[in-house]
Amino acid sequence: MITNNNSKEALALSQVNQKTSLIKGKKIRKEKVTENITGLLFVLPTIIIFVVFLYYPFFNAVRISFYDYSGIGPLKDFVGLANYKKALVDPNYYNALFNIFKLILIDAGLGISIGFIFAYILYERVPGWKFFSVALFIPYLMSMVVSGTIWKMIFDPTIGLLNSALISIGLGNLARPWLADPGTAMYAVAVTWIWRTIPFNMIIMYANILKMPVDIIEASKIDGASVLQRLRYVVIPYLKPTFSVLIVLTITHGFRIFDTVWIMTQGGPARATETITTYIYRKAFQNLEFGYASAISIIMMIMMISIVVITNIIKRKSEG
Amino acid sequence: MKKKLIALVTILVMLVLTVAGCTPPTPAQSSSSSKPADSKQESKSAEKKQIKLKLATFSTDFSTDWVAKEFMKLNPGYTVEFEFLPSANYYGKIMTYAASNEMPDVFFTQSANYIDHTKKGLLTDLTSYLDTPSYEGDMKWGDTFIPAVLDSARSILKPIQSELKGKYYAMPYAMTSVAVMYDKKLFAKVGIQPPKTWAEFMSNNEKLKQAGYIPFSLVTEWIDWYPRIFWDQYLGEEIAKDPTAFETGKLTFSDKRVQQGLLGMKEMWDKGYLNESGLTANSQDVTNTFIQRKLAQYMLTPTRLKYLMDNAPKDMDLATFVLPGINGKPPKTLGGSSMLVGVSSSTKEFEGALRLAKFLTSKTLYAMPEMKYQNASIKNVKKDPSLDQIMKGYADAAENGFIPEILVPAEITPQMREVFMQEIVPGLMLGKTNVDEISKKLQELYKTTYLDKKK
């Protein structure tokens, strides 16, 4: 009897415990769901913006790329992959691509190295470093349109500052129509471009140099390393991850150049400064070939993603 | 509970801010008391409800919204949202509006784009409205226009006239012509006179070059002007007799006279008579070069005069002359009705839009001080006598008549125009291509982008 009663009590107790833990479990889950909903609601505006302004236009662009479309009316002339095939045999497309890669190489080479030199000079606290840390950043704060307009005036062959300066110091034979000469136009645009990217690279590298452990530098000084040796064997190896990030950013930014080119040369003379973005703009809004322009945009996107992925793989392998 | 409420309020605020950031700008509001419009009935009906219109233009006469404000001042009950875009970006924007069904109620158009906008059904057929009263209400709207300018407007649509049967889809805003501006004092200093013949013109260029000046202007957005002017000299009469010569194959782009038109410009370039920066410099840049007295002769339309006249040094004695014909014939001018005003076929306020279009081609508009440098497309507009020396060249140029907008069809489609302006002409100047390659390319493009699509 007593055993039976104990069993019954034990059973009742365990049932109560089960119910309690079930209720607790439900309560915990409910709290988690409530917390998640709150978090989801906070990110909802961003999700809406992404869907409306990014994902929907992207999928629409992919759809349009399979049509011959002038931009007005419904999509009706399905052409399949014809637009993509057209891009692959279009010499102007390859010209625009070549110009972009030229710009990226110049930016990666000069923009990052000059940015690094400035960052290191600031790190070494040269006299006036506080002033320079602000003054050198000013170009990055200016809009692309303003930068492009200023440099266009500087490069003007008749009334521009550059030719006037060259003539005044006896180098008049070097004066030329910088933006109208196919041999120099792209480099002139590149100068304007890196004038803006150098401050950005400088600030990123300066911030990373400042994070460098002081004892490493102290140790190298104690070991008798000169400034150049410290730079070569301590600072640069430390900044390798920063360099690789900046290279990826240089590539992705370079692919998107538009306003600088449009303001300065509009892709001329004779397409010497035509980039993928200006070419897409022309095809879409001047030639009314929206299907073709969309196809080029998709190809460009795939190219950018591939480059970023390959760069990351190389980076991981070198770190590994 | 309190946490949830704060979260909800924050989210709502963010959503509202996002939506507010996406709303279009409020249109310019009329700031002063209104003067009753001449057409009282239209005005009264407008007063009963606010009529909202959108106007888009690339004409530098309207680089600010003064015309919208004037219209609203004179027409109570109207609200006009105004948009100006430089021509390089204007048509792209118009196509964006068309794609999103948000066409401006009244918009400017031109040349191959006018043909394109008409073919795509973006413009209202205004033919029957030419018999309605003008803006002032004193005569028929159609009768206010200079006949030659009206003909010029109709001729733009010649390539598709068989479908349109003489209709008007846009009306000429101004009588555009081109003339060469120069400084009389500079000419006197170099010892030259305005040329009467092509030989004199080239001789003047050489003297100016020797004196250290850039002889003649080249502007990237007008890079097609010289071939078009020269083609009229070599082929104008023949094409006037047979406008379908290129369609039927009677004339092709390989014709020596077509090539001559291009080579005429090439000769000027090779001799150093054109500003090298012109391959990328826009009209603003070239105007600055002229104002700085580096450029001796500047070929431009009246729409660019205001900036030049406002900024030119006071000691410049400016005048204009007509560019002599390269082939010795009386030189016709580019322009005519090169800028047209149309009413959108999708406007929801047709009467209001029509009124605005009439205003843009009215004596009332042309009497305004901001329009003093523009040649009117309408009759009986008095000009300020102090501007005679400047405007004489433009008037003389118009007297010989207008070169059809599409004579040699090198720019008859947007695709051809883009290749012609961006590749062909600059490439020829830079020696990257030759006239035989150009002829072949143009013929191929003409076939693929125009003739094949016409079938």
Side-chain angles (χ1 to χ4, degrees):
Chain A
M1 285 292 278
I2 293 167
T3 313
N4 274 347
N5 275 344
N6 283 346
S7 312
K8 275 183 186 171
E9 271 176 18
L11 188 65
L13 196 61
S14 79
Q15 278 176 347
V16 163
N17 283 342
Q18 261 185 2
K19 269 187 187 166
T20 312
S21 47
L22 268 170
I23 290 166
K24 264 190 193 165
K26 265 189 189 169
K27 200 178 173 189
I28 291 167
R29 275 198 298 277
K30 195 179 174 188
E31 276 174 6
K32 274 191 181 166
V33 165
T34 313
E35 271 178 33
N36 285 341
I37 285 178
T38 309
L40 274 169
L41 285 173
F42 263 112
V43 300
L44 187 65
T46 311
I47 291 172
I48 292 173
I49 289 168
F50 261 94
V51 168
V52 169
F53 295 110
L54 198 68
Y55 297 127
Y56 174 72
F58 168 70
F59 287 114
N60 209 28
V62 172
R63 192 168 73 110
I64 291 171
S65 70
F66 296 119
Y67 287 82
D68 179 10
Y69 185 51
S70 68
I72 298 171
L75 290 171
K76 50 184 174 120
D77 298 321
F78 181 77
V79 295
L81 294 172
N83 287 327
Y84 291 93
K85 285 181 195 167
K86 189 175 163 185
L88 295 175
V89 296
D90 183 352
N92 291 329
Y93 166 72
Y94 287 107
N95 171 65
L97 209 55
F98 175 71
N99 286 337
I100 278 281
F101 281 125
K102 208 194 283 188
L103 178 81
I104 288 170
L105 274 169
I106 294 170
D107 192 12
L110 288 176
I112 293 177
S113 46
I114 296 174
F116 169 69
I117 291 167
F118 285 162
Y120 192 69
I121 288 171
L122 290 178
Y123 173 72
E124 288 292 340
R125 297 287 195 264
V126 295
W129 71 273
K130 281 185 184 170
F131 166 76
F132 287 121
S133 65
V134 172
L136 289 171
F137 196 62
I138 287 173
Y140 188 71
L141 302 172
M142 294 169 88
S143 83
M144 300 279 213
V145 171
V146 171
S147 314
T149 307
I150 290 171
W151 278 97
K152 189 177 181 183
M153 284 160 56
I154 292 172
F155 285 124
D156 187 289
T158 337
I159 55 176
L161 197 58
L162 180 58
N163 280 354
S164 304
L166 286 170
I167 290 165
S168 66
I169 59 171
L171 292 173
N173 57 321
L174 293 178
R176 60 196 62 246
W178 302 96
L179 295 175
D181 181 347
T184 55
M186 195 65 215
Y187 297 108
V189 169
V191 162
T192 311
W193 182 247
I194 64 173
W195 183 70
R196 276 195 91 256
T197 60
I198 285 171
F200 175 78
N201 296 335
M202 176 193 79
I203 283 293
I204 299 292
M205 282 188 273
Y206 181 53
N208 279 280
I209 291 176
L210 286 176
K211 283 194 309 188
M212 204 164 49
V214 178
D215 47 358
I216 296 177
I217 296 290
E218 292 297 329
S220 66
K221 282 179 184 172
I222 290 164
D223 286 344
S226 65
V227 170
L228 283 172
Q229 281 172 326
R230 275 205 303 278
L231 200 64
R232 190 180 161 191
Y233 295 111
V234 180
V235 178
I236 291 175
Y238 180 80
L239 286 179
K240 264 193 185 159
T242 312
F243 288 140
S244 51
V245 165
L246 286 174
I247 285 170
V248 170
L249 287 174
T250 298
I251 292 168
T252 52
H253 284 163
F255 262 99
R256 292 182 297 170
I257 185 173
F258 177 79
D259 12 23
T260 308
V261 174
W262 200 255
I263 288 291
M264 294 180 81
T265 59
Q266 294 207 355
R271 303 202 199 273
T273 57
E274 188 93 90
T275 59
I276 286 287
T277 43
T278 57
Y279 192 55
I280 289 168
Y281 179 85
R282 263 193 228 292
K283 284 292 162 190
F285 298 106
Q286 291 185 357
N287 290 17
L288 309 178
E289 295 176 61
F290 280 84
Y292 184 45
S294 299
I296 299 173
S297 312
I298 303 298
I299 295 173
M300 187 178 108
M301 183 203 72
I302 294 169
M303 212 178 293
M304 278 170 70
I305 291 172
S306 309
I307 291 171
V308 171
V309 165
I310 291 168
T311 314
N312 281 339
I313 291 171
I314 293 171
K315 184 183 152 198
R316 258 188 257 126
K317 278 196 174 159
S318 64
E319 281 167 6
Chain B
M1 186 63 197
K2 197 178 173 186
K3 252 176 149 176
K4 280 186 205 171
L5 196 63
I6 294 169
L8 201 61
V9 167
T10 313
I11 288 156
L12 278 168
V13 165
M14 281 162 66
L15 270 168
V16 163
L17 285 172
T18 310
V19 167
C22 297
T23 50
T26 27
Q29 298 294 324
S30 179
S31 54
S32 57
S33 61
S34 54
K35 187 176 155 187
D38 289 326
S39 183
K40 290 176 186 164
Q41 211 163 6
E42 284 180 20
S43 206
K44 275 184 185 165
S45 65
E47 274 178 15
K48 284 180 191 164
K49 63 161 188 158
Q50 270 286 330
I51 295 181
K52 289 183 183 170
L53 299 171
K54 181 161 180 171
L55 167 65
T57 180
F58 56 85
S59 170
T60 50
D61 291 334
F62 310 131
S63 51
T64 62
D65 63 353
W66 70 267
V67 69
K69 285 180 176 158
E70 288 296 335
F71 180 76
M72 287 188 289
K73 215 192 296 185
L74 295 169
N75 297 273
Y78 283 87
T79 305
V80 178
E81 187 187 323
F82 174 81
E83 183 166 15
F84 165 79
L85 281 160
S87 53
N89 306 317
Y90 177 80
Y91 291 106
K93 193 72 187 277
I94 290 291
M95 293 321 296
T96 313
Y97 283 137
S100 57
N101 282 325
E102 289 174 357
M103 284 296 289
D105 300 281
V106 177
F107 64 98
F108 279 56
T109 184
Q110 188 180 42
S111 189
N113 294 291
Y114 176 32
I115 298 174
D116 206 52
H117 295 157
T118 306
K119 278 165 77 172
K120 285 182 163 66
L122 299 179
L123 291 161
T124 304
D125 176 7
L126 295 175
T127 318
S128 57
Y129 298 98
L130 294 179
D131 290 333
T132 60
S134 65
Y135 178 78
E136 289 82 11
D138 54 349
M139 57 200 299
K140 283 186 191 175
W141 189 28
D143 291 343
T144 62
F145 291 98
I146 296 170
V149 178
L150 211 52
D151 277 343
S152 173
R154 192 193 278 128
S155 77
I156 297 170
L157 294 181
K158 245 188 200 149
I160 54 172
Q161 263 314 328
S162 53
E163 304 153 40
L164 303 178
K165 295 181 175 43
K167 291 180 183 174
Y168 289 95
Y169 281 81
M171 302 310 292
Y173 151 69
M175 185 181 73
T176 311
S177 58
V178 296
V180 183
M181 180 161 287
Y182 69 105
D183 180 6
K184 281 178 156 181
K185 289 180 182 172
L186 192 154
F187 266 38
K189 189 175 161 191
V190 177
I192 56 177
Q193 292 291 323
K196 296 274 185 293
T197 66
W198 188 256
E200 275 177 41
F201 172 68
M202 292 297 265
S203 164
N204 282 354
N205 287 339
E206 187 57 36
K207 287 177 185 163
L208 286 164
K209 184 183 165 190
Q210 295 304 323
Y213 296 98
I214 301 168
F216 205 68
S217 61
L218 178 65
V219 179
T220 187
E221 65 237 47
W222 304 332
I223 207 168
D224 60 336
W225 278 10
Y226 305 130
R228 287 174 59 200
I229 290 169
F230 300 156
W231 281 333
D232 179 67
Q233 285 280 303
Y234 294 122
L235 287 160
E237 281 169 8
E238 185 170 337
I239 295 176
K241 287 177 196 159
D242 183 7
T244 60
F246 276 90
E247 271 186 49
T248 56
K250 198 174 160 194
L251 274 173
T252 66
F253 289 97
S254 303
D255 191 290
K256 286 290 167 217
R257 293 165 293 175
V258 174
Q259 295 185 345
Q260 258 178 308
L262 291 163
L263 289 171
M265 185 178 173
K266 174 82 171 139
E267 188 192 353
M268 288 172 70
W269 175 269
D270 288 344
K271 286 184 172 171
Y273 296 162
L274 300 174
N275 53 307
E276 286 176 303
S277 62
L279 292 180
T280 51
N282 59 29
S283 56
Q284 190 85 40
D285 302 326
V286 178
T287 303
N288 289 335
T289 313
F290 181 77
I291 288 168
Q292 301 243 1
R293 295 179 161 124
K294 307 283 183 187
L295 174 68
Q297 300 169 108
Y298 184 17
M299 190 163 184
L300 75 167
T301 63
T303 51
R304 298 294 198 265
L305 278 178
K306 187 174 187 314
Y307 177 82
L308 195 155
M309 300 306 293
D310 287 346
N311 292 284
K314 298 292 173 231
D315 63 337
M316 270 180 128
D317 187 8
L318 297 172
T320 52
F321 67 83
V322 182
L323 184 71
I326 191 172
N327 202 26
K329 292 180 182 162
K332 286 188 187 170
T333 179
L334 292 170
S337 59
S338 66
M339 277 191 287
L340 301 120
V341 178
V343 174
S344 168
S345 58
S346 58
T347 180
K348 293 182 175 56
E349 298 283 1
F350 178 73
E351 291 299 328
L354 184 64
R355 181 154 183 79
L356 178 56
K358 286 179 178 178
F359 174 73
L360 290 166
T361 56
S362 69
K363 277 184 284 206
T364 307
L365 178 74
Y366 274 100
M368 294 179 183
E370 290 89 344
M371 297 297 289
K372 66 179 176 183
Y373 296 115
Q374 187 55 274
N375 278 328
S377 56
I378 55 176
K379 297 179 230 176
N380 305 322
V381 171
K382 286 183 187 146
K383 281 279 161 200
D384 182 350
S386 68
L387 298 174
D388 277 352
Q389 189 170 274
I390 303 288
M391 302 309 290
K392 186 181 182 310
Y394 294 102
D396 291 346
E399 265 180 32
N400 288 329
F402 301 107
I403 297 169
E405 201 66 29
I406 306 285
L407 183 73
V408 171
E411 298 174 90
I412 198 166
T413 62
Q415 295 92 330
M416 284 187 79
R417 182 176 163 81
E418 193 257 327
V419 171
F420 190 71
M421 302 275 285
Q422 297 303 320
E423 220 172 285
I424 285 175
V425 178
L428 181 65
M429 298 303 110
L430 293 167
K432 290 174 93 173
T433 185
N434 58 53
V435 285
D436 292 321
E437 280 173 9
I438 288 171
S439 297
K440 202 175 154 193
K441 185 157 195 147
L442 284 172
Q443 197 64 44
E444 199 185 308
L445 279 170
Y446 184 58
K447 184 185 176 298
T448 53
T449 67
Y450 181 68
L451 292 177
D452 289 349
K453 298 218 168 171
K454 213 176 170 202
K455 289 170 196 165

